[in-house]
């Protein structure tokens, strides 16, 4: 991999969409059209006026930094458990055939008690959150989680409008969503022990939609249709939104899952918080009626959202679904 910085994306390719009409309950028709053209293009865009306050974002980021500043043995006390909640040490994310990602992370999901029916039923990736013994960590992250989830629910309506569906099309599949929120920490690249390790190897996200906060350092790169990599630099006050494999499947590739990666070239610690906003475990992902027609046959078999995601988390992040880890 070259060490040179790629050119930044152009604003036409990766636009900034102003979410104000959506958040204020105004007329979102033009915004839905803008979303559609963004998703038919690079399917990678920034959102502004998303309704999540800067204080909420800053508090979450500072809690995350404090966690990764803890000694490794303290972090390991909350190592990821059988619900895939907690600390994922360096090297955990390892796509087959590539070097391990040069990052560690901390996973938080919807907080379900052990006696919740979905946990009792052993649904993958469902369970209680783990919290380290770190005062002032849990509250800001729970606030951030709730705020981004609320934004995500609005965004789902906009996705539905943009595909000529009724507002509830996606929201109805989010009554018990399989959200994974990941606090990411990327050490400087020169700490790589394996030359093939970069911050986050090229990938597409697994689920429906990802809402990403990245710190001011930069390092996120997106692959253009011609295969070139371009930088998606941090823009103050925005989130980056990108689509995952379930969205591509659901829309029959009308909307695409865009490959992206992280290369932390600046010699400093980088932090980010992707929020993988995935549907209910049992959501059936079958070609949307407005995304097929003569000349555009449905290309993907129907999948169950939670099984699809759990399988990819198992392959790439060493997740052991219930039943396999408990025996
Ligand atoms: O850290 C980032 O900016 C992006 C992370 C990412 O793409 C992922 O975790 O799927
Ligand atoms: Fe990603």
């Amino acid at each position: 991999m070259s060490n040179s910085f790629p050119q930044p994306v152009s604003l036409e390719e990766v636009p900034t969409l102003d979410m104000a009409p959506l958040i204020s309950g105004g007329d979102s028709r033009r915004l839905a059209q803008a979303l559609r053209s963004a998703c038919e293009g690079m399917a990678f865009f920034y959102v502004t006026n998303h309704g999540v306050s800067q204080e909420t974002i800053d508090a979450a980021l500072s809690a995350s930094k404090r966690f990764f500043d803890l000694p490794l043995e303290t972090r390991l006390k909350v190592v990821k458990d059988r619900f895939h909640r907690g600390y994922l040490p360096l090297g955990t994310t390892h796509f087959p055939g590539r070097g391990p990602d040069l990052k560690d992370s901390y996973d938080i999901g919807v907080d379900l008690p052990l006696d919740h029916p979905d946990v009792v039923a052993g649904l993958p990736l469902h369970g209680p959150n783990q919290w380290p013994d770190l005062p002032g960590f849990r509250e800001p992250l729970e606030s951030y989680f709730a705020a981004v989830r609320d934004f995500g629910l609005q965004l789902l309506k906009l996705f539905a409008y943009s595909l000529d569906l009724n507002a509830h099309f996606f929201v109805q599949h989010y009554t018990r969503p399989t959200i994974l929120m990941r606090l990411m920490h990327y050490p400087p690249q020169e700490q790589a022990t394996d030359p093939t390790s970069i911050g986050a190897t090229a990938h597409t996200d697994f689920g429906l939609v990802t809402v990403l906060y990245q710190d001011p350092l930069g390092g996120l790169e997106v692959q253009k249709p011609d295969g070139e990599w371009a930088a998606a630099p941090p823009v103050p006050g925005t989130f980056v939104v990108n689509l995952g494999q379930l969205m591509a499947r659901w829309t029959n590739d009308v909307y695409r899952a865009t490959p992206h990666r992280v290369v932390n070239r600046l010699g400093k610690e980088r932090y980010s918080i992707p929020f993988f906003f995935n549907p209910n475990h049992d959501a059936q992902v079958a070609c949307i009626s407005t995304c097929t027609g003569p000349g555009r046959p449905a290309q993907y078999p129907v999948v169950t959202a939670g099984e699809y995601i759990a399988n990819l988390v198992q392959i790439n992040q060493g997740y052991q679904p219930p039943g396999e880890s408990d025996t």
Side-chain angles (χ1 to χ4, degrees), residues 6-323:
Q7 290 296 314
V9 288
S10 74
L11 297 178
E12 289 78 41
E13 290 166 324
V14 177
T16 298
L17 302 183
D18 182 348
M19 295 287 133
L22 182 72
I23 301 304
S24 65
D27 183 347
S28 301
R29 270 174 295 188
R30 287 190 48 194
L31 180 56
Q33 273 167 17
L35 178 80
R36 179 160 186 130
S37 46
C39 294
E40 286 175 342
M42 291 270 280
F44 220 81
F45 53 94
Y46 296 90
V47 292
T48 182
N49 293 320
H50 40 63
V52 183
S53 75
Q54 196 58 46
E55 294 73 47
T56 303
I57 296 172
D58 292 345
L61 184 67
S62 107
S64 171
K65 287 183 176 169
R66 286 175 53 234
F67 174 78
F68 291 107
D69 278 347
L70 293 172
L72 179 62
E73 71 262 25
T74 313
R75 278 176 276 156
L76 286 171
K77 286 191 182 140
V78 283
V79 76
K80 111 181 135 86
D81 58 16
R82 67 187 200 277
F83 306 112
H84 203 78
R85 306 294 204 270
Y87 179 56
L88 280 62
L90 278 178
T92 303
T93 298
H94 194 168
F95 284 64
R98 324 252 190 96
D101 278 2
L102 186 66
K103 67 185 188 203
D104 50 351
S105 64
Y106 191 91
D107 275 22
I108 296 166
V110 176
D111 202 11
L112 298 175
L114 286 173
D115 61 0
H116 187 282
D118 288 346
V119 183
V120 175
L123 288 194
L125 305 171
H126 286 59
N129 282 329
Q130 259 199 103
W131 299 108
D133 185 11
L134 179 63
F137 180 76
R138 174 176 181 163
E139 299 75 12
L141 292 168
E142 287 188 331
S143 300
Y144 182 84
F145 188 98
V148 179
R149 183 199 52 211
D150 289 350
F151 166 59
L153 288 169
Q154 297 300 320
L155 190 59
L156 291 180
K157 291 189 203 160
L158 198 66
F159 278 120
Y161 299 143
S162 77
L163 292 161
D164 296 321
L165 302 166
N166 81 49
H168 301 295
F169 182 85
F170 294 111
V171 173
Q172 68 188 332
H173 297 294
Y174 277 73
T175 49
R176 292 143 49 242
T178 315
I179 298 169
L180 278 180
M181 179 170 107
R182 186 162 291 160
L183 312 180
M184 295 285 206
H185 166 237
Y186 298 82
Q189 199 67 39
E190 54 273 19
Q191 290 180 21
T193 48
D194 176 336
T196 64
S197 284
I198 64 167
T201 195
H203 67 282
T204 54
D205 290 350
F206 309 156
L208 194 80
V209 55
T210 306
V211 178
L212 172 77
Y213 171 77
Q214 51 169 338
D215 77 4
L217 202 62
L220 178 64
E221 298 175 7
V222 53
Q223 193 170 34
K224 301 207 230 180
D226 64 6
E228 281 282 299
W229 288 95
V235 177
T238 67
F239 292 125
V240 169
V241 176
N242 67 280
L243 311 182
Q245 296 173 28
L246 285 183
M247 182 67 102
R249 298 176 78 97
W250 225 332
T251 63
N252 204 21
D253 279 340
V254 173
Y255 291 177
R256 288 183 175 278
T258 314
H260 54 282
R261 67 183 185 189
V262 174
V263 192
N264 183 8
R265 295 180 164 93
L266 283 178
K268 296 191 182 141
E269 318 278 316
R270 176 185 189 268
Y271 300 86
S272 67
I273 313 180
F275 187 94
F276 301 109
F277 195 41
N278 300 324
N280 294 353
H281 176 84
D282 55 12
Q284 297 297 297
V285 177
C287 178
I288 290 171
S289 59
T290 57
C291 297
T292 182
R296 193 165 197 123
Q299 311 186 47
Y300 298 106
V302 181
V303 288
T304 299
E307 284 169 12
Y308 188 84
I309 289 165
N311 181 47
L312 289 170
V313 178
Q314 180 174 16
I315 293 170
N316 301 311
Q317 271 132 12
Y319 171 62
Q320 296 285 305

